[in-house]
Amino acid sequence: MFARLGRVVVHHPWKVIGLWVIAIVAVLSTAPALTATTDQSEFLPSHYESIQAMKLQEQAFPQHAAPAALIVAVRADGAALTEADSATVSAAAAALTAQNIKGVTGIQVTPPSENGLVQVIAVQMTKLTDAADKTQGEAVQSLREHLKEQVRDTGLKAGVTGTAAQTLDQTEEGEKGMAIIGIATIVLILVLLLIIFRSPVIALLPVVTIGAISSTVGGLIAMAAKAFDLEIDTSVNSILLVVLFGVGTDYILFLMFRYRERLRAGDDPKTAMVNAVTKVGEAVTSAAAAVIIAFMALTLSSLGMFRALGPALAIAVAVALLAGLTLVPAIVSLLGTKVFWPSKAWQIEPKGARFGAIGAAMGRRPGVFAVASGGVLVALGVFAVGFNPTFDLSSGSTTDASESVAFTTELVKGMPAGATQPSDVVLQSTGPLADDQLATYRTALTQVDGVGQVGQPQLSPDRTIANFQVTLSNAPESDAALDTVAGPLREVAHQAAPAGATAAVGGMTAVFVDFEEAMNHDYRIVFPVAAILIMIVLALLLRSLVAPWYLMASVFLGFAATLGATVLVFQQIQGEHGLIFTLPVIMYLFVVALGTDYNILMVARLREEAREGHTPREAAALAVRHTGPTVAAAGLILAGTFASMMLAGNSTLSQMGFAISVGIAIAAFVMALFFTPAVTALLGRRAWWPGHGGDSDEERSPRWAEYSYAESYYTPPAQQSRQG
């Protein structure tokens, strides 16, 4: 199949390129806009209590939602507000009301805080029904512009925070981060490919081709999101960018290594590309299949954000694979050997040394290498037990200098920390609720540890539904706030409900509590399913029931080591109170999927060398010598592209970029290069049971499973040192 594909692409390159242009235009002209949401409640299933509370609120109080924005006013010198200051705040509120800002439905001044340090203006806005609706963000920008005029030369300073302002700042920071990530990713790919191939043409090849198809990927994801009603999280765009460029560049790298090898073997340029696609096609397709399987396992998640993330990343990998096997070969077949210009190094096979020395040492002492590399993984994995998830998505996605974060800090000087996003207790009764019942219930809520204030109940017209706004003593995303809602607040809310009434606790903190429960569910479902599916792929590919077990065991060790390294750096060294709660799932999928690819590459080469009659230790030495440069180059490029996320300027993407890049580096440079070949050498021919992969007299079958990864990535030993 791949031989036929290679011949079609090489002999009809302009038709292939034309088909790609038509496909890109068709997708761009028909796809809806790819929009993302920051409303975390949209990702939870409806059976969770926080979502039930939200639906009750919308049903009973459609016009009385919590303020979308809070204008926080304080004295510039930090002193308590005077009566004149309060009058200035009231005048500012009146002036803002007179502006008739689009999207603002109400502006209300609240009394100064008890300590007199802070005064708040609550701003109601129209509820967003479409993720693409920018009304609230534009309203926040208008409020900020007019507010500056109102407090100028008054001795006051004021700013806008709250949900709408945090979303706006998060979006703006995300756009800046995307620009930084994009530039850093492209520069990194250019530099690394220039070093490896010494040709600006090859260096530009992935940048141009992947850049051309990136819009198509976005369009296809938007189509899928619309067709299957998927909610796309704001972080998906950043991950998509690095996945597309990182994985896509790896696939192009594998193709060009094989193309160069065939040219050195004497093939003419067109024949060399046909042979390259024939061999690499099987390998890269197998690699992509493992990654896609891992990503698609996310569709089993109970969280909408992961159900959308899985297909989105799977689409990106599938398009990158298709481009790597059709568009890139078509372009290279037109360029021929000019693709290596101006370097002549592609004509020469340099001597190998570094990876040969490493392989020889491993062949002599595989036990030492297995213990040393395994010890590194275990030592880092110990720190994983200290993982503490954090749900602070707002400040984690913005810098401390953003206005919403700065004035949230000012707000808590005079208000309970939970004032930015109060919780809600919604009481629903079969009959009208009496005043004494409501008073008794409110008193019970007030006495809950961790509750700062409880507002007067808001009643539905028939008095069957009452909403109590509960301001927590701690920041709404903090561990203490989550403990309060998950434990005493929900317990008291349920138990103290009057006879015939039920209660539901809602608000963003309650959403985070339910998120945590949903995540624990996903850990029990998504992780095992992804592991089982990948093990099946390994068993089919390697014709072995033994190798998949220790390969997956090594990947799990790599996962633990990656999580441990991230905990060590961010929690232990930098002193952050936790890591973003989605990190383990995202990290698991990248480390497991890509780590498995690198492991397959190495073990398949080991199997090939054993079939040539070498002893297990000799096979391990040769496998490291022959495959080490390809693993190292691919791992370096992929880890580097994910590391670019650390330049975005916020902790969420920094943690993600660090964890994934370290995980890929561990998979490539510890597991695949040292641990896996060392363990395989120690197991010997038992690694291939019940097959006969280690028997030198086994019949050489042409089936894809018997040569796929090893042959596809094979590079002549003389070429290795220059790549390494």
Side-chain angles (χ1 to χ4, degrees):
M1 180 179 73
F2 291 103
R4 188 179 302 111
L5 176 65
R7 288 192 296 271
V8 170
V9 169
V10 168
H11 293 127
H12 306 282
W14 286 113
K15 291 182 180 179
V16 172
I17 295 172
L19 286 174
W20 269 99
V21 172
I22 293 171
I24 291 172
V25 172
V27 171
L28 292 181
S29 60
T30 58
L34 179 61
T35 57
T37 180
T38 57
D39 185 353
Q40 303 305 316
S41 65
E42 296 184 13
F43 300 128
L44 277 170
S46 59
H47 67 270
Y48 282 100
E49 184 175 337
S50 59
I51 306 304
Q52 293 174 351
M54 182 183 68
K55 290 183 176 179
L56 276 175
Q57 283 179 303
E58 293 176 348
Q59 170 191 333
F61 316 107
Q63 303 300 324
H64 299 279
L70 299 174
I71 297 175
V72 180
V74 297
R75 283 190 59 85
D77 57 10
L81 296 166
T82 65
E83 290 185 6
D85 293 330
S86 293
T88 301
V89 172
S90 298
L96 291 173
T97 302
Q99 294 293 331
N100 293 319
I101 297 172
K102 181 183 178 182
V104 174
T105 58
I107 296 178
Q108 182 179 4
V109 181
T110 64
S113 60
E114 291 184 6
N115 60 11
L117 294 177
V118 176
Q119 189 164 10
V120 173
I121 303 173
V123 182
Q124 299 283 350
M125 295 182 180
T126 53
K127 182 176 177 59
L128 297 182
T129 57
D130 184 356
D133 190 348
K134 301 184 182 299
T135 301
Q136 285 193 353
E138 293 171 353
V140 170
Q141 290 176 327
S142 296
L143 286 171
R144 286 174 171 172
E145 292 172 3
H146 294 300
L147 186 61
K148 290 178 183 178
E149 297 295 327
Q150 299 304 318
V151 299
R152 182 172 295 164
D153 301 325
T154 63
L156 299 176
K157 63 178 182 178
V160 185
T161 185
T163 306
Q166 290 169 348
T167 299
L168 174 64
D169 291 343
Q170 184 177 338
T171 301
E172 291 179 347
E173 290 288 342
E175 291 173 353
K176 293 178 184 177
M178 282 287 291
I180 294 172
I181 290 171
I183 293 171
T185 298
I186 291 172
V187 170
L188 178 69
I189 290 173
L190 288 172
V191 170
L192 290 178
L193 289 182
L194 277 171
I195 293 173
I196 293 171
F197 288 100
R198 304 178 187 180
S199 166
V201 181
I202 292 183
L204 287 170
L205 185 62
V207 175
V208 173
T209 55
I210 297 173
I213 66 173
S214 60
S215 56
T216 305
V217 171
L220 292 174
I221 293 171
M223 289 178 177
K226 183 177 181 180
F228 298 101
D229 194 25
L230 301 175
E231 295 290 348
I232 304 294
D233 181 54
T234 52
S235 63
V236 169
N237 288 331
S238 300
I239 300 175
L240 272 176
L241 180 68
V242 291
V243 165
L244 198 55
F245 274 94
V247 174
T249 301
D250 267 6
Y251 294 164
I252 295 173
L253 183 69
F254 300 152
L255 179 73
M256 295 310 298
F257 273 160
R258 171 59 83 167
Y259 179 59
R260 185 172 64 178
E261 177 192 337
R262 295 311 309 162
L263 288 173
R264 287 173 174 173
D267 289 354
D268 65 85
K270 290 189 178 295
T271 303
M273 182 51 69
V274 172
N275 288 332
V277 172
T278 302
K279 302 298 183 181
V280 172
E282 295 163 341
V284 173
T285 301
S286 299
V291 177
I292 290 171
I293 285 173
F295 288 159
M296 289 303 293
L298 282 176
T299 58
L300 300 175
S301 171
S302 59
L303 295 173
M305 63 190 304
F306 289 135
R307 287 200 304 273
L309 177 64
L313 296 181
I315 289 171
V317 172
V319 174
L321 170 67
L322 186 60
L325 295 180
T326 58
L327 181 59
V328 173
I331 295 173
V332 174
S333 66
L334 291 174
L335 295 173
T337 57
K338 294 177 182 177
V339 74
F340 298 105
W341 179 89
S343 174
K344 300 294 184 181
W346 64 272
Q347 300 173 341
I348 306 168
E349 295 185 1
K351 297 180 180 179
R354 281 165 287 185
F355 286 96
I358 294 172
M362 178 179 295
R364 290 192 298 269
R365 297 181 179 84
V368 173
F369 276 78
V371 171
S373 56
V376 170
L377 298 177
V378 171
L380 288 174
V382 169
F383 291 98
V385 298
F387 169 69
N388 181 51
T390 178
F391 294 82
D392 188 0
L393 301 182
S394 298
S395 63
S397 299
T398 55
T399 64
D400 293 340
S402 65
E403 185 170 320
S404 60
V405 174
F407 279 89
T408 295
T409 303
E410 296 290 345
L411 178 66
V412 298
K413 292 179 180 178
M415 302 281 187
T420 54
Q421 293 180 331
S423 295
D424 295 285
V425 177
V426 185
L427 193 64
Q428 184 179 32
S429 176
T430 54
L433 291 162
D435 290 339
D436 60 334
Q437 290 177 314
L438 296 172
T440 301
Y441 191 70
R442 179 172 179 265
T443 300
L445 296 177
T446 305
Q447 294 173 349
V448 173
D449 290 338
V451 170
Q453 298 174 356
V454 179
Q456 292 294 333
Q458 181 183 12
L459 292 170
S460 62
D462 60 2
R463 296 182 66 92
T464 60
I465 299 178
N467 182 75
F468 295 84
Q469 190 174 85
V470 178
T471 303
L472 302 176
S473 302
N474 300 287
E477 70 281 346
S478 65
D479 293 341
L482 267 66
D483 291 341
T484 296
V485 170
L489 182 57
R490 278 187 170 171
E491 290 175 6
V492 170
H494 297 161
Q495 295 171 3
T502 58
V505 179
M508 192 50 62
T509 305
V511 168
F512 291 152
V513 170
D514 292 339
F515 253 107
E516 194 163 22
E517 181 181 341
M519 288 292 296
N520 291 332
H521 167 271
D522 289 352
Y523 291 152
R524 296 190 298 268
I525 301 297
V526 176
F527 283 17
V529 168
I532 291 170
L533 291 176
I534 292 176
M535 285 185 68
I536 291 174
V537 171
L538 287 172
L540 293 173
L541 180 66
L542 299 175
R543 299 294 194 268
S544 168
L545 295 179
V546 175
W549 286 99
Y550 71 83
L551 289 178
M552 287 306 296
S554 71
V555 170
F556 280 119
L557 278 177
F559 168 78
T562 303
L563 182 58
T566 310
V567 169
L568 176 63
V569 170
F570 287 94
Q571 290 184 211
Q572 302 295 329
I573 297 177
Q574 295 190 8
E576 296 187 13
H577 69 277
L579 302 175
I580 193 70
F581 74 100
T582 58
L583 193 60
V585 170
I586 294 173
M587 188 177 68
Y588 170 88
L589 292 171
F590 281 103
V591 173
V592 168
L594 299 172
T596 300
D597 284 344
Y598 295 143
N599 268 341
I600 291 174
L601 172 60
M602 184 59 69
V603 173
R605 182 66 194 187
L606 269 159
R607 184 172 181 267
E608 180 183 336
E609 294 297 342
R611 286 163 52 87
E612 293 295 330
H614 299 292
T615 66
R617 296 193 176 198
E618 292 171 345
L622 291 170
V624 171
R625 176 183 178 182
H626 294 161
T627 15
T630 305
V631 170
L636 185 62
I637 288 177
L638 199 57
T641 54
F642 277 106
S644 67
M645 295 173 69
M646 298 173 65
L647 302 175
N650 66 70
S651 62
T652 298
L653 291 180
S654 293
Q655 291 176 12
M656 241 182 236
F658 177 86
I660 298 174
S661 61
V662 167
I664 291 170
I666 288 174
F669 296 99
V670 179
M671 292 191 305
L673 283 180
F674 297 110
F675 186 76
T676 296
V679 172
T680 305
L682 291 173
L683 287 174
R685 290 181 172 83
R686 289 170 292 184
W688 316 116
W689 184 88
H692 305 282
D695 295 343
S696 60
D697 59 348
E698 180 181 342
E699 180 182 355
R700 302 307 198 272
S701 170
R703 292 176 301 180
W704 67 272
E706 298 190 0
Y707 60 72
S708 62
Y709 269 82
E711 291 190 7
S712 297
Y713 290 95
Y714 173 76
T715 306
Q719 176 186 336
Q720 304 290 324
S721 65
R722 181 162 298 187
Q723 295 172 7

